[in-house]
Amino acid sequence: MTKSYTEHFEERGTAYECAMRQFPHARDEEFQQLIHAAQLKSGMRVADVPAGGGYLKRYLPNDTHWLGHEPCESFTNHATSNGGSAPLLPLPWLDASIDCAMSLAGVHHLLDKKPLFKEFARILKLKGKLIISDVEENSPVALFLDQFVGAYNSTGHEGIYLNKQTTEEIAEQDFEIIKTERVNLVWRLPTKQDLVVFCKQLFDLKNANEDQVAQAIEHYLGFESLADNQIGMNWQLTTITAQRK
């Protein structure tokens, strides 16, 4: 049976958090493309759901206001705006009080995404932006997560990934789909070994050794040498930009 977001991260959120603290810049490109898609302006209130450990916050312009909501207490550093642990839904903000809502790599754990999209529509101001960036169905990343991560981590992994139905469900909540873009990027660190250690901890791969992790990355995703003398691990997301009508 597919586990929910909360079921996954109450068990392995601490490992995820430790990896992000040890290698805080590994996923810079992933967060930066989200900010680029949002085209934020001064004074905007930005909702981050689910917020994890609040990683998005440091990528936002200084003159915007981050509001995070995270249902799992295992993320010890999230300091969410609701002051503590709370269910994912309903979202803890007033109607039409948010300028931009963002969700990075969280909705693929939701079997039924419609209630979340409905809540995003409720909290966003008219013309407010919604940015959903996540793994696409049948992509190399989806195969890596379901076939390798799911076989060797502590919780299993069976994602409900983005597809054509996702954009239709967003549009049903009175959103205009502005853009859907497949984004190729890299997770980057000084060495291949660093990337292996990062992935092993981030995904809580307790049942795989480092050689197995390295082989899986090579097989599903691939490594590449970067111009700044770092090593990249290929990653891919689909980013949907929508506007509240």
Side-chain angles (χ1 to χ4, degrees):
M1 181 180 294
T2 301
K3 290 189 176 183
S4 70
Y5 175 88
T6 303
E7 287 172 321
H8 274 283
F9 290 104
E10 285 294 7
E11 185 165 345
R12 60 183 178 88
T14 300
Y16 193 103
E17 174 86 347
C18 288
M20 291 298 291
R21 287 192 183 194
Q22 185 177 358
F23 300 103
H25 295 289
R27 296 168 63 195
D28 279 354
E29 288 189 18
E30 190 173 347
F31 290 95
Q32 288 164 353
Q33 62 87 24
L34 196 70
I35 303 302
H36 177 75
Q39 299 182 333
L40 300 173
K41 297 179 181 178
S42 178
M44 280 188 166
R45 288 163 53 87
V46 180
D48 178 15
V49 183
Y55 317 117
L56 178 67
K57 183 178 181 180
R58 67 185 179 88
Y59 295 92
L60 296 177
N62 291 332
D63 55 358
T64 58
H65 305 284
W66 176 83
L67 300 165
H69 177 55
E70 171 55 52
C72 297
E73 290 183 331
S74 57
F75 289 103
T76 57
N77 193 40
H78 60 258
T80 52
S81 59
N82 57 301
S85 178
L88 179 63
L89 300 177
L91 298 178
W93 301 296
L94 298 175
D95 296 2
S97 63
I98 300 295
D99 297 290
C100 181
M102 299 186 182
S103 186
L104 177 63
V107 301
H108 74 265
H109 292 290
L110 302 180
L111 181 61
D112 184 2
K113 300 172 178 48
K114 291 180 182 179
L116 177 61
F117 297 156
K118 184 176 181 179
E119 275 291 280
F120 280 140
R122 179 186 66 79
I123 66 169
L124 280 167
K125 299 176 181 178
L126 294 180
K127 305 298 183 182
K129 289 276 187 69
L130 173 63
I131 316 294
I132 303 286
S133 190
D134 215 309
V135 179
E136 186 174 335
E137 188 175 74
N138 297 322
S139 67
V141 175
L143 297 177
F144 171 72
L145 293 176
D146 284 354
Q147 294 181 5
F148 180 73
V149 172
Y152 289 95
N153 77 349
S154 57
T155 61
H157 198 288
E158 187 179 351
I160 306 95
Y161 300 108
L162 302 190
N163 55 27
K164 183 180 178 181
Q165 182 180 340
T166 312
T167 54
E168 292 172 352
E169 290 178 350
I170 293 172
E172 287 171 3
Q173 300 301 328
D174 215 19
F175 282 103
E176 176 189 358
I177 305 299
I178 297 173
K179 187 176 184 181
T180 300
E181 181 180 14
R182 187 175 295 164
V183 182
N184 294 310
L185 47 89
V186 294
W187 292 2
R188 61 175 67 214
L189 284 171
T191 69
K192 183 184 293 187
Q193 178 67 16
D194 288 335
L195 283 164
V196 168
V197 171
F198 177 63
C199 287
K200 183 169 167 54
Q201 187 159 33
L202 188 80
F203 297 118
D204 201 22
L205 295 168
K206 294 180 176 180
N207 301 314
N209 60 42
E210 291 183 3
D211 286 343
Q212 288 174 307
V213 175
Q215 291 168 13
I217 293 171
E218 195 75 73
H219 174 73
Y220 288 98
L221 306 169
F223 294 102
E224 61 177 275
S225 298
L226 304 176
D228 54 2
N229 293 321
Q230 291 195 316
I231 301 296
M233 184 186 89
N234 295 322
W235 200 249
Q236 185 188 86
L237 296 173
T238 290
T239 298
I240 302 169
T241 304
Q243 187 174 56
R244 182 77 166 85
K245 292 182 181 178

